[in-house]
Amino acid sequence: MPRLTWALAVGLSVHSAHAGPVEDAQSAEASGDVPRALAAWQRAAELAPDDARAQLSVGRLQLRAGRPAEAVQTLAAVVEKHPETPGAHYWYAFALRKSGRLPAAAESYRKALDAAPDDPDPRYGLAETLKQMGDGAGALEAYKAYVRLEARPSEAKWVARANEEIARLSASDVVTPAEAPAEPLPAPGAATAPPAATSAAPASATPDTTSPEAAFAAGRFGEAQRGFRAELERSPDNIALHHRTAVAALSAGDYPEAERRAVTVVRLDPDNPTATAMALAARGRRPPAGPPARAEAELALREGRNRTAADLAGTLLAQAPTGPDAAALALIRGTALLRLGRADEAADALRRTAGQGQPPGEYWLALGDALSTQGDRPAARRAWRVAADLTEAETPIGRQARERLQPPGLRVSEE
């Protein structure tokens, strides 16, 4: 949801002692240079440590830079010391949600609504959070409240998306037929709604035999596991889907995946005793673990288990610092450490294998990100330039490298 207008207005009231950094931050945001904007807001916050608005801008830009864990720490201090600051609870909730701390995010979104009950932005954030937590009925109510309140023409995209969720949830079993609306709520002031937002799909009279739930009920546990895993690719933060995948994997005898999924549920919802018991049961049935391998570190990185990925890659690097997998392991460790907010260690891990052949563009992209987080912007741009030179412009790595060298306009809506 848009906060850029508010963010730029903040600088107009900041003390003149740090007007220079604020102007730099505004200019950088307008040009799409997130790292420079973040660095300027950090300088402004250092010059005025009691200015909650500058601290809030730091947290907001940390989110935009893809560093939600750091944003959580920054914004937690803001809501603790200055809870009355406009937008503080909203951005804190946003950071918590992006960090996977869904119950805490829902609580903070509700505090934001207590402070500004007519603000549509927290309604949308709360709806997304409840959907990921598996609370379909709560999500449906929040989406409907968002659509009722949202009157900004610029937010038509988000109204359409909310209407699609209203249609999907209304047609599912999270509400009774009497509670389901005849059609999704219209967007106030919006033009023509997309076809997906005009009506809910009619209920099928034929029993569903292809869904993961139907496969599980029929005892086809492996099929159910694969189906839930496919749904997780579309909704990777959905706790309920992680839980269902864990149950299906445990029933199918895939104990490693059952343990991984159950541990993910426990991480996102620490008070879930069922998931804890399931993780322990799966671990007890796993065969003895062999020595760690590169594939395990890669899997941990793909699944977002960054601390595990960093530790595994570090162990393997220590065993064979000049081996054939050294560059790949350094990339895994550096990427994981960067996600954990440990930029100095990430840069060190990536530099260790710089002399062992020509690393791929992905390596240089990660090194540039680490250097940028450290504040060494010239070195970061040199690394990004190498990444761009080593990769085709239309590949994901090539596009990212070129965007960092010439970043597009800042995105102003929450996703």
Side-chain angles (χ1 to χ4, degrees):
M1 299 304 149
R3 300 280 174 172
L4 185 57
T5 302
W6 171 86
L8 295 177
V10 164
L12 299 177
S13 59
V14 177
H15 192 273
S16 59
H18 60 301
V22 169
E23 292 173 354
D24 290 345
Q26 293 173 343
S27 173
E29 288 199 58
S31 66
D33 192 338
V34 175
R36 185 164 68 88
L38 175 56
W41 278 121
Q42 287 172 328
R43 290 195 300 274
E46 290 169 359
L47 290 170
D50 293 329
D51 191 326
R53 294 162 298 182
Q55 294 285 352
L56 186 58
S57 294
V58 171
R60 179 175 55 79
L61 266 294
Q62 286 171 332
L63 269 171
R64 300 286 291 281
R67 292 150 55 182
E70 295 177 39
V72 166
Q73 294 182 346
T74 301
L75 295 166
V78 176
V79 297
E80 180 181 357
K81 297 178 182 177
H82 307 282
E84 74 290 345
T85 302
H89 287 292
Y90 170 82
W91 286 107
Y92 182 45
F94 191 2
L96 288 167
R97 180 163 73 84
K98 289 299 184 182
S99 298
R101 296 168 59 181
L102 300 179
E107 179 183 358
S108 194
Y109 275 126
R110 290 187 175 104
K111 288 182 179 178
L113 289 170
D114 289 340
D118 294 331
D119 187 350
D121 291 350
R123 300 279 180 187
Y124 189 93
L126 178 61
E128 290 286 289
T129 304
L130 294 177
K131 180 183 71 172
Q132 292 170 18
M133 291 172 65
D135 183 358
L140 177 61
E141 180 182 356
Y143 280 124
K144 288 160 63 178
Y146 166 72
V147 172
R148 282 196 301 269
L149 289 170
E150 183 57 84
R152 295 167 291 187
S154 62
E155 301 309 287
K157 165 188 173 182
W158 302 103
V159 171
R161 183 176 294 186
N163 270 326
E164 291 174 2
E165 290 296 333
I166 290 170
R168 185 182 65 81
L169 291 170
S170 297
S172 72
D173 59 1
V174 301
V175 292
T176 65
E179 293 171 321
E183 61 182 22
L185 296 172
T192 302
T198 59
S199 62
S204 173
T206 304
D208 179 17
T209 60
T210 60
S211 69
E213 291 84 356
F216 188 89
R220 304 193 306 271
F221 302 123
E223 181 183 335
Q225 176 188 359
R226 291 189 293 274
F228 287 132
R229 188 189 298 139
E231 291 185 3
L232 268 173
E233 291 179 0
R234 296 188 292 271
S235 303
D237 296 326
N238 190 314
I239 294 181
L241 281 177
H242 279 289
H243 193 282
R244 292 170 190 164
T245 309
V247 173
L250 188 63
S251 302
D254 187 346
Y255 304 124
E257 177 162 23
E259 181 183 353
R260 287 197 306 274
R261 302 298 182 187
V263 167
T264 299
V265 175
V266 173
R267 177 171 57 83
L268 298 175
D269 183 11
D271 297 326
N272 191 321
T274 303
T276 302
M278 190 160 39
L280 293 173
R283 176 167 296 182
R285 297 179 189 181
R286 288 182 64 172
R294 169 183 163 181
E296 294 180 55
E298 290 174 337
L299 177 63
L301 187 67
R302 284 199 306 272
E303 293 185 342
R305 295 180 287 124
N306 299 311
R307 189 168 287 103
T308 299
D311 291 344
L312 285 173
T315 299
L316 293 168
L317 275 172
Q319 293 172 354
T322 60
D325 289 339
L329 290 168
L331 177 59
I332 294 170
R333 179 168 170 79
T335 302
L337 290 170
L338 189 59
R339 291 178 182 175
L340 292 168
R342 294 155 60 181
D344 292 345
E345 296 174 71
D348 181 65
L350 293 165
R351 287 194 186 100
R352 284 180 56 186
T353 57
Q356 300 180 27
Q358 181 67 276
E362 187 177 4
Y363 170 98
W364 289 101
L365 181 72
L367 179 59
D369 291 346
L371 293 168
S372 176
T373 304
Q374 285 181 305
D376 191 345
R377 185 72 179 173
R381 290 186 63 84
R382 288 194 293 272
W384 291 331
R385 173 53 60 192
V386 174
D389 291 342
L390 289 174
T391 53
E392 296 293 333
E394 296 307 315
T395 63
I397 298 300
R399 285 196 300 270
Q400 292 178 54
R402 287 161 178 81
E403 286 174 359
R404 283 159 173 73
L405 289 167
Q406 293 182 330
L410 280 179
R411 187 175 181 180
V412 298
S413 292
E414 174 182 343
E415 272 195 312

